[in-house]
Amino acid sequence: MNQDVSKNQKVLAVAGLLVIVAAIGIGVVLTSGKKEEAATTTPTAQESTTTEPTTTESADSEYKDGTYSATGAYSNPGGTSSIEVSVTLKNGVITDSTTTAAGGGTSGRYQSQFISGYKSEVVGKQIDAVSLSRVSGSSLTSQGFNAALAEIKTKAKA
Amino acid sequence: MPHSPKSRPKPKPNNWPLEFEAIGTRWYIQLFEEVDDALRARLADAINLRIEQFDKDYSRFREDSLIAEMNRTAGEYILPDDAQPLFDIYRELYDITGGRMTPLIGQTLSDAGYDAAYSLKPGTVTAPPAWEDTLVYDFPRLTLRQPALIDVGAAGKGYLVDLVAAVIEDAGVQSYCVDAGGDLTYHTKSSQPMAVGLEHPDDPTLVIGVAQVINASICGSAGNRRTWGKYNHILDPKQLTSPTHIKAVWVVTDSTLLADALTTALYFVPAARLKQRYTFEYVIVRSDNSFEASDNFPGEMFS
């Protein structure tokens, strides 16, 4: 059992680091258009640590159910940063994952961009398709304000 | 006349649910229990009076308000009895946001175009004065060291919702909803929450989530409606621009005053900083449509 667990740890550690390195690559690409340039070299992964999974037996899967975490440390022009990835496995399928940024400064900003991209984007549903009593958003405007908006748009076209 | 033409108030209603315009937005007030016609009529009058009093005290859009007088004449003023919670929250959030949320934003907003006449014509915009240089606040006294245009719009609407709710409660009615343009409080003796759609900041025909609100308040803030040229009504006094990193914010908490105030504060400081001081749930939608919701936000987001 110890051998299985350590094999799982190594496989996931590598997978986690690949995710991290790919993500950093993506982060660099996404921000390369901005004026403040930062890392132009791909950071190298130095080491990782993993935690013991909280496990339950799962006969069908090569990997035991549980939550596995890997923390990757990498060097970049700002120094050394780390980022933690956790995945939860059930029957060999990832059912949840989280990413935690541990960097600050420039690194923290890229990590936040990666994490915010990694997280979900909002999707709209038609108001009529949802059972609602009220709707909340930016404050509804008065007729006076609407008239003012219409006026400046008219002036802008003239 | 005290009101500029475009901001003149509309006739007061007394058909329920009450629907009317006041303080620059559209109100919707419902009662969810049996209330006889006579009491409904008295309530409609009491609510109208309460709103009118608030407008006369705090509006920067009329020449006969206390705010307008403070913008003409320096000196010591005695604030209205209801001013303390409002000015207290501004004092706290001014400190927490490092001055980014300030009641002294009125002149800057006005110069950007959001003036009493709704000209929406951007002029030369300058940073507001610091609180310490301009105001001495020791309720009930507010001293203006120099004339200044105060704007309490970032929390005032939410506060007025609470004040109107208090009028309803004083009449013995406990199940009601007071909605001022999407900032609302819902109270009930039942256990049934109210489903409040979260409007997509880019498309008002869509919602991006639903909050379940019961015996609580929800406020939303976004820049999409009150926007002209490069500005919207949320102005960062340090940058003298409207923030672009956040598209929409919602806060759910006990009072509409606090919910309203925090929706603005969340444009300027991280939620974690505000959570050190206040108890609330929130959703923030960023410019790239990603979102961040607090752990116990009551409801679901569509993603």
Side-chain angles (χ1 to χ4, degrees), chain B residues 5 44 119 127 144 163 181 203 222 231 265 268:
Chain B
S119 72
L144 280 280
L163 294 173
D203 186 347
Y231 293 113
F268 297 126

Side-chain angles (χ1 to χ4, degrees), chain A residues 49-121:
Chain A
T49 54
T50 57
T51 57
E52 285 289 341
T54 53
T55 60
T56 54
E57 294 296 317
S58 170
D60 299 330
S61 168
E62 194 180 349
Y63 300 105
K64 285 192 166 41
D65 288 1
T67 300
Y68 300 83
S69 300
T71 300
Y74 59 94
S75 61
N76 51 268
T80 302
S81 300
S82 66
I83 191 162
E84 181 188 273
V85 178
S86 279
V87 295
T88 302
L89 284 189
K90 192 165 173 54
N91 295 330
V93 176
I94 294 176
T95 57
D96 194 18
S97 60
T98 60
T99 311
T100 309
T106 307
S107 178
R109 196 169 73 245
Y110 292 148
Q111 289 180 352
S112 293
Q113 284 172 2
F114 167 58
I115 289 169
S116 67
Y118 165 84
K119 281 295 181 187
S120 306
E121 282 192 10

Side-chain angles (χ1 to χ4, degrees), chain B residues 44-63:
Chain B
D45 284 344
I47 289 169
N48 291 329
L49 278 172
R50 192 68 189 84
I51 292 174
E52 171 59 18
Q53 184 59 51
F54 192 91
D55 194 57
K56 190 154 195 298
D57 289 331
Y58 302 117
S59 172
R60 67 175 172 88
F61 295 97
R62 52 193 289 176
E63 292 163 16

Side-chain angles (χ1 to χ4, degrees), chain B residues 156-180:
Chain B
K157 176 153 26 72
Y159 187 38
L160 185 53
V161 167
D162 288 338
L163 294 173
V164 167
V167 168
I168 294 172
E169 300 249 358
D170 284 350
V173 177
Q174 295 172 276
S175 298
Y176 58 88
C177 175
V178 178
D179 181 349

Side-chain angles (χ1 to χ4, degrees), chain A residues 116 120-127 130-145 148-149 152, chain B residues 6 21 25-26 28 118 157 179 181-182 195-197 199 204-207 220 222 224-227 250 289 302-303:
Chain A
S116 67
S120 306
E121 282 192 10
V122 296
V123 165
K125 289 190 187 178
Q126 291 289 330
I127 282 181
V130 185
S131 177
L132 300 171
S133 294
R134 304 302 299 163
V135 173
S136 176
S138 61
S139 296
L140 300 179
T141 43
S142 61
Q143 287 179 36
F145 195 87
L149 281 175
I152 58 166
Chain B
K6 288 176 192 166
E21 281 191 6
T25 192
R26 279 178 270 156
Y28 188 83
Y118 296 161
K157 176 153 26 72
D179 181 349
V196 181
E199 188 185 77
T205 68
L206 304 177
V207 288
N224 59 320
R225 282 195 165 85
R226 284 173 179 69
T227 181
W250 287 271
N289 279 3
F302 307 141
S303 62

Side-chain angles (χ1 to χ4, degrees), chain B residues 245-260:
Chain B
H245 60 304
I246 289 177
K247 263 204 241 187
V249 176
W250 287 271
V251 171
V252 178
T253 187
D254 285 349
S255 77
T256 332
L257 165 64
L258 184 60
D260 201 6

